[in-house]
Amino acid sequence: MLLSWLLIVWFLQMPTFTWIIATHICPTDTKYLIYSDGTVVIGAFFPILHNSLVRTTTDWKYFPMDSDNYFGMSGRNYQLVLAMLFAINEINLNSHILPNTSLGLEIYNLPAIGRNIFRTVFSWLTGLSSVIPNYTCRKESNSAATLTGVSWKTSETIWTILDLYKFPQLTFGPFDPVQIDRNQFQSLYQVAPKDTALLSGIASLMLHFNWNWVGLLIPDDQRGAQFLSDFRKELDKTKICIAFVKTVLYLGETLLRLISQDHIHIIESSTADVIVIYGPTSILLTLIENTYRTYNKKKIWVMSTKWFCPNLELYNMLELTHGALIFSPHYKEIVGFKKFMLEATPIKYPEDIFLHLLWYWHFNCSFLHSECKIFENCLQNASLELLPGNIFTMTMTEESYNVYNAVYAVAHSLHEETLSQIQFQPQANIDRTLLFPWQLHPFLKKIQVKNSVGDHVVLDWKRKADPEYDITNIWNFPTGLSLLVKVGTFVPSAPKGEQLSMSEYMISWPIGFTEIPHSVCTESCNPGFRKVVLESKPTCCFDCTPCPDNEISNETGLDHCVHCPETHYANAEKRHCLKKTVTFLYYNDPLGKGITLLSIGFSTLTALFIWVFVDHRGTPIIKANNRSLSYILLITLILCFLCPLLFIGLPNTATCIMQQYMFGLLFTVALSTVLAKTITVVMAFKITAPGRKIRWLLTSQVPKFAIPICTLIQVLLSGIWLGTSPPFIDKDYHSEHGHIIILCNKGSYIYFYCTLAYLGVMAFGSYLLAFLSRRLPDRFNESKSLAFSMLVFCSVWVMFLPVYHSTSGKVMVAMEMFSILASSASILIIVFAPKCYIVLFRPELNILTHNRDKRHHRSKTFLKT
């Protein structure tokens, strides 16, 4: 408050405007005033006329684009006058609002210079065209409120005076979110809808066109900082990044510092094709003027109508605004307003000097300067519709719509105040000419009504709803004219994903774009690739790397690849999951063929060995090594060689069980037979030695009992295995790319390793006995061959374990089959091949006498040692 008084005192002490007029006559009219009497009057300050020096040559580099350097009239702002007149006429004709009360108006032209603003406001308050301190010509006041704008700065300047009287002030300019929390503006109301949803609308537009790399131009003040903070929060939700932020310093309405060449270079060289503008339109216009001679921008400007320049059409020949997208609050068309503008002529409204000036400038009328009125030589049937679109538009502007709503808000507040006075003083004669404007504040704060088209009018910002937005596109034509074309809408209250609606085919993009522009830091990763975030870089800047094995990405721009199901695998391009082929170890497989040939070959060879043994069963070398045990061992080896065939082919439950059961059983029989042969050899030499009396142990075939005893133990072990965790059919999804291998799962590896351990104990026992009896005398002593075969047998299965665990799939199965064949072949070849060789190719060694002499000689040698 103190600051306000200081400003007024400073203003009144200025010699330029300190006038002392000794007269009792008060001038009631000013040069640029429209007045219409009424029971209650609404004042308004509109920036319509401006006069400055006109120069034919202008240094555009240092020309402040927002300054008024020529005498002229803003046709766009004159529409504010018509909107106010139309609203007051509607209300005066409506018997439901303020019955028996008429509304009038007082419209003053608002100059651009601050000191002139003060003078204009004092003229309205005092009724004087000149400022005389502490003097007024208004004997009584019937003013209820005043309308101010277009900018917040202008409204704030006027508020410093009007707030001294708590005079209601409604600003029709853009909504200013920075001022809403300030309690100091108690008598100032913002009519425009709040724009908190604007950020969400811009972000939705970016997402719709896949723009994730945008530039930002903002004023270097509190509003710009607040916008930047809120915009970053909104963009973080949508993963959109800001390429650069450039600020421009302002002082009030005047641009202090033009955009530097560094700024221009950054904007020009940036890969961001989309630039969001927030702030006075001088940013855009100055940018145009600075880049006119050196750059041809191919940028898409996104802005709000709250900062849209009314004179933007003057710069269309530069082609830099073509294709810009503008967000503007959606409002319904006021019925009858266009007809009202068509009928507005100087003849119908002779008191409107602005109409006279328009007709004078544009329709070749003669002008009477002393009265500021036209009088002859006008174009026949002239109307506002004939004016060019860049001079006057027949479409209601956002500011005009706010003026229309402001008048309705004041009228309804006055109506509510009247009803309140009647309620408490029903017999009182209410005199509207004795109005105290400050009494209107409680009603203005609570007002919530609908205007003539059904739109809500609310002055309390806390109760304002987010408006719908129209998205318009600037179309420029070679003639220098422009057209704003509606290309989309944004409805904040709509469900998520349905808020934005765009008609892309109607958008005219800036010159140089043949398709929808791309504004990205890094092009989206193609299918088959995923994003890799770079350190110290925004999330929109990334590298693309191929998806890992068995993962795909079938869309562009994915952050992560997706695992294929176990039944599928990724194709070479990592874009699709293909179904795996079911396979198993079959006979046509190279491994199957090889194992089958080996199995049949060794089985046939074993059968030949049996035939040799049977055919030469009477020879000494056959008889000397316990023929019955040899036959049992050979027959068992045939079955061992055929055992791998159970592992080939499509597995089923029976074959899975038979694989492990037959493997354990047959090898138990084979090793127990070897053990019996080894025991027989030892007993044959030890029991028949001199001094031995118990020959019946050998003659009673006691060593052969080792076979059923060992086999019974294996049967019990296999029974426990099959009873607790039997083998079952399993599927291997990972061993072979693109295939699902069907194989047998052992059920319990513990029992499998117990079986191997049991076979290992028997093999090691046979090896130990055979090794100890290797030097016993006899030509046909097979202890050495038995010991060596057991050594090879143990080596095969010891090597089997690590290899078995390091493989999988078919190779693992083949490894087990190969171990069965290799261990069986070691017994066959080491034990029986030498005997068959002697029988078939060295019969001279298969003679009993020769053998006895040799045995007698070796026995002597053995006894000596």
Side-chain angles (χ1 to χ4, degrees):
M1 184 66 69
L2 179 60
L3 178 62
S4 301
W5 281 108
L6 290 175
L7 287 172
I8 294 172
V9 171
W10 168 79
F11 170 77
L12 294 177
Q13 289 178 350
M14 295 182 63
T16 307
F17 302 109
T18 304
W19 295 1
I20 301 176
I21 302 178
T23 176
H24 66 279
I25 302 175
C26 295
T28 58
D29 295 328
T30 61
K31 189 174 182 181
Y32 306 128
L33 169 69
I34 300 178
Y35 180 80
S36 176
D37 195 15
T39 309
V40 180
V41 175
I42 301 176
F45 295 92
F46 297 146
I48 302 175
L49 292 177
H50 43 83
N51 52 24
S52 295
L53 181 63
V54 178
R55 293 185 296 174
T56 56
T57 304
T58 302
D59 187 354
W60 293 102
K61 184 176 181 181
Y62 299 100
F63 182 66
M65 302 307 299
D66 275 351
S67 62
D68 304 316
N69 282 354
Y70 59 94
F71 180 80
M73 176 177 175
S74 172
R76 178 186 177 94
N77 288 344
Y78 174 68
Q79 195 187 88
L80 304 175
V81 175
L82 297 178
M84 188 172 181
L85 286 170
F86 179 75
I88 288 179
N89 288 342
E90 272 192 343
I91 294 171
N92 287 336
L93 294 174
N94 190 343
S95 60
H96 299 288
I97 304 176
L98 294 176
N100 301 322
T101 301
S102 62
L103 281 181
L105 57 83
E106 271 184 311
I107 299 177
Y108 279 79
N109 179 63
L110 191 67
I113 302 175
R115 287 177 293 180
N116 292 339
I117 292 177
F118 277 119
R119 186 176 63 179
T120 303
V121 174
F122 271 108
S123 296
W124 175 68
L125 286 173
T126 63
L128 294 167
S129 59
S130 302
V131 178
I132 303 177
N134 301 322
Y135 191 86
T136 179
C137 284
R138 291 185 182 269
K139 296 180 181 180
E140 56 188 25
S141 174
N142 59 349
S143 297
T146 185
L147 311 184
T148 60
V150 173
S151 70
W152 173 265
K153 189 65 178 178
T154 300
S155 297
E156 186 177 1
T157 302
I158 298 175
W159 169 86
T160 59
I161 300 175
L162 297 184
D163 188 59
L164 299 176
Y165 308 95
K166 304 301 178 185
F167 201 92
Q169 179 184 352
L170 287 75
T171 174
F172 53 85
F175 185 82
D176 193 332
V178 176
Q179 307 299 336
I180 57 178
D181 290 329
R182 293 189 178 182
N183 295 324
Q184 66 186 81
F185 298 101
Q186 294 294 324
S187 59
L188 182 59
Y189 303 91
Q190 299 192 66
V191 182
K194 64 179 181 180
D195 59 355
T196 53
L198 177 63
L199 300 178
S200 179
I202 295 176
S204 299
L205 180 71
M206 303 299 169
L207 285 178
H208 179 80
F209 291 110
N210 296 319
W211 296 334
N212 62 9
W213 191 238
V214 299
L216 187 59
L217 293 178
I218 58 175
D220 190 8
D221 56 16
Q222 185 179 358
R223 295 176 183 85
Q226 184 65 42
F227 177 83
L228 178 60
S229 176
D230 296 340
F231 197 46
R232 285 189 186 276
K233 292 178 183 178
E234 189 66 34
L235 296 186
D236 288 342
K237 301 176 186 177
T238 54
K239 297 183 179 180
I240 298 175
C241 304
I242 298 178
F244 61 85
V245 178
K246 292 303 169 188
T247 59
V248 178
L249 186 61
Y250 282 84
L251 180 61
E253 301 293 311
T254 306
L255 182 66
L256 272 190
R257 176 171 58 84
L258 300 180
I259 299 178
S260 66
Q261 291 299 322
D262 292 338
H263 286 59
I264 301 300
H265 176 72
I266 290 174
I267 295 172
E268 194 273 338
S269 61
S270 175
T271 56
D273 291 332
V274 178
I275 300 177
V276 178
I277 298 178
Y278 185 85
T281 49
S282 301
I283 295 178
L284 176 59
L285 296 182
T286 305
L287 174 63
I288 291 173
E289 295 303 329
N290 277 272
T291 59
Y292 170 61
R293 302 181 187 277
T294 56
Y295 297 103
N296 182 16
K297 288 283 173 235
K298 295 180 181 178
K299 302 294 181 182
I300 303 166
W301 312 101
V302 178
M303 64 188 81
S304 169
T305 50
K306 67 184 291 184
W307 302 120
F308 184 60
C309 179
N311 294 324
L312 191 61
E313 295 85 356
L314 299 177
Y315 306 94
N316 285 340
M317 69 290 296
L318 304 179
E319 299 178 347
L320 295 181
T321 59
H322 179 73
L325 297 173
I326 303 173
F327 280 79
S328 58
H330 172 78
Y331 48 84
K332 299 175 183 177
E333 183 179 357
I334 303 297
V335 179
F337 182 62
K338 187 172 183 179
K339 181 182 178 182
F340 178 79
M341 290 190 294
L342 285 173
E343 296 175 352
T345 63
I347 297 176
K348 186 172 184 180
Y349 299 104
E351 73 281 0
D352 187 347
I353 64 170
F354 302 121
L355 277 176
H356 287 273
L357 291 174
L358 281 174
W359 255 248
Y360 167 64
W361 283 329
H362 299 288
F363 298 128
N364 299 321
C365 297
S366 300
F367 193 71
L368 188 61
H369 289 274
S370 60
E371 298 182 7
C372 281
K373 292 183 179 180
I374 60 172
F375 61 93
E376 61 182 10
N377 298 330
C378 286
L379 180 67
Q380 294 295 325
N381 299 322
S383 67
L384 293 174
E385 189 179 25
L386 298 179
L387 295 177
N390 60 337
I391 301 298
F392 186 87
T393 175
M394 297 298 291
T395 304
M396 178 174 269
T397 63
E398 183 180 347
E399 293 81 6
S400 298
Y401 186 73
N402 292 338
V403 167
Y404 180 84
N405 287 338
V407 174
Y408 264 86
V410 173
H412 279 280
S413 298
L414 290 169
H415 186 80
E416 292 297 325
E417 183 187 20
T418 302
L419 294 178
S420 176
Q421 291 181 1
I422 293 174
Q423 181 179 0
F424 290 103
Q425 301 175 1
Q427 305 301 326
N429 182 18
I430 301 174
D431 187 0
R432 276 291 170 194
T433 61
L434 301 176
L435 179 68
F436 295 101
W438 56 267
Q439 294 177 336
L440 197 60
H441 286 298
F443 303 96
L444 287 171
K445 292 178 181 178
K446 294 187 298 183
I447 194 68
Q448 185 172 356
V449 297
K450 291 183 178 180
N451 60 16
S452 62
V453 293
D455 289 342
H456 287 276
V457 179
V458 181
L459 298 182
D460 184 5
W461 69 270
K462 295 180 180 178
R463 293 185 291 125
K464 285 179 180 285
D466 290 322
E468 299 180 10
Y469 284 94
D470 291 333
I471 304 174
T472 54
N473 183 220
I474 298 181
W475 289 9
N476 286 340
F477 297 97
T479 57
L481 302 178
S482 66
L483 182 65
L484 296 180
V485 181
K486 181 179 177 180
V487 295
T489 58
F490 178 75
V491 184
S493 59
K496 198 71 173 178
E498 301 177 8
Q499 296 173 318
L500 184 71
S501 175
M502 295 295 295
S503 301
E504 297 179 11
Y505 66 93
M506 295 183 63
I507 300 177
S508 178
W509 298 110
I511 297 174
F513 292 108
T514 57
E515 57 183 10
I516 297 177
H518 296 282
S519 186
V520 295
C521 178
T522 305
E523 289 292 338
S524 299
C525 295
N526 293 326
F529 292 82
R530 63 179 177 89
K531 296 179 182 178
V532 177
V533 179
L534 302 175
E535 293 185 5
S536 69
K537 292 286 186 179
T539 56
C540 301
C541 303
F542 49 83
D543 278 340
C544 296
T545 184
C547 290
D549 292 339
N550 209 40
E551 294 185 14
I552 65 163
S553 61
N554 54 5
E555 298 179 7
T556 58
L558 292 182
D559 295 332
H560 305 284
C561 298
V562 180
H563 278 279
C564 289
E566 286 191 335
T567 56
H568 293 70
Y569 69 98
N571 63 347
E573 293 79 16
K574 306 292 182 68
R575 298 185 179 183
H576 304 286
C577 289
L578 306 178
K579 193 171 183 179
K580 292 182 178 179
T581 304
V582 177
T583 185
F584 49 87
L585 186 61
Y586 53 95
Y587 290 100
N588 291 331
D589 190 273
L591 281 175
K593 285 182 180 180
I595 296 296
T596 301
L597 291 176
L598 288 175
S599 179
I600 295 175
F602 279 114
S603 300
T604 305
L605 181 62
T606 307
L608 290 176
F609 281 9
I610 293 175
W611 176 79
V612 172
F613 268 59
V614 172
D615 190 53
H616 298 81
R617 59 184 179 278
T619 58
I621 198 169
I622 303 298
K623 293 170 62 178
N625 290 281
N626 202 327
R627 284 179 298 182
S628 59
L629 292 177
S630 296
Y631 292 151
I632 293 173
L633 183 56
L634 287 170
I635 293 172
T636 304
L637 288 177
I638 289 179
L639 298 178
C640 287
F641 284 126
L642 295 176
C643 183
L645 298 180
L646 293 173
F647 293 80
I648 304 176
L650 181 63
N652 53 57
T653 304
T655 57
C656 288
I657 294 175
M658 289 296 293
Q659 285 176 10
Q660 306 306 319
Y661 183 79
M662 294 303 297
F663 162 71
L665 182 62
L666 292 175
F667 269 85
T668 299
V669 173
L671 291 177
S672 61
T673 303
V674 173
L675 181 61
K677 289 174 69 68
T678 306
I679 295 173
T680 301
V681 173
V682 173
M683 291 179 64
F685 282 91
K686 296 296 183 180
I687 296 175
T688 56
R692 298 290 183 181
K693 305 293 185 181
I694 314 175
R695 296 179 178 232
W696 61 271
L697 291 174
L698 185 60
T699 57
S700 58
Q701 305 294 320
V702 172
K704 294 182 180 180
F705 284 101
I707 299 175
I709 293 173
C710 293
T711 304
L712 180 61
I713 295 173
Q714 176 60 35
V715 170
L716 292 175
L717 182 61
S718 297
I720 297 173
W721 183 358
L722 299 178
T724 55
S725 299
F728 58 89
I729 301 173
D730 197 4
K731 294 179 180 179
D732 185 355
Y733 295 95
H734 309 290
S735 298
E736 193 171 333
H737 181 70
H739 294 83
I740 301 175
I741 302 174
I742 301 179
L743 42 75
C744 293
N745 189 299
K746 298 190 178 346
S748 174
Y749 279 93
I750 295 177
Y751 288 113
F752 176 67
Y753 293 136
C754 288
T755 299
L756 292 181
Y758 178 63
L759 297 177
V761 169
M762 287 191 295
F764 183 74
S766 300
Y767 167 75
L768 187 60
L769 290 175
F771 181 77
L772 295 177
S773 61
R774 71 188 185 281
R775 294 185 179 275
L776 294 177
D778 195 352
R779 178 65 180 175
F780 300 131
N781 182 9
E782 57 180 357
S783 297
K784 292 182 179 180
S785 59
L786 291 174
F788 186 59
S789 66
M790 291 299 99
L791 180 62
V792 175
F793 181 92
C794 291
S795 301
V796 169
W797 287 104
V798 167
M799 290 187 297
F800 161 79
L801 292 175
V803 177
Y804 182 79
H805 283 286
S806 63
T807 57
S808 59
K810 294 180 182 180
V811 178
M812 182 179 67
V813 177
M815 185 62 198
E816 185 174 357
M817 296 163 61
F818 178 77
S819 298
I820 293 173
L821 292 175
S823 57
S824 302
S826 66
I827 298 175
L828 176 66
I829 296 189
I830 296 174
V831 175
F832 294 103
K835 295 179 176 59
C836 291
Y837 175 77
I838 292 174
V839 170
L840 296 176
F841 301 105
R842 298 292 299 275
E844 67 275 8
L845 299 178
N846 192 12
I847 299 174
L848 185 59
T849 303
H850 178 78
N851 290 334
R852 284 179 177 175
D853 293 340
K854 291 287 184 181
R855 183 178 59 186
H856 179 68
H857 175 72
R858 290 183 177 176
S859 298
K860 286 184 178 180
T861 305
F862 176 78
L863 291 174
K864 287 181 180 180
T865 56

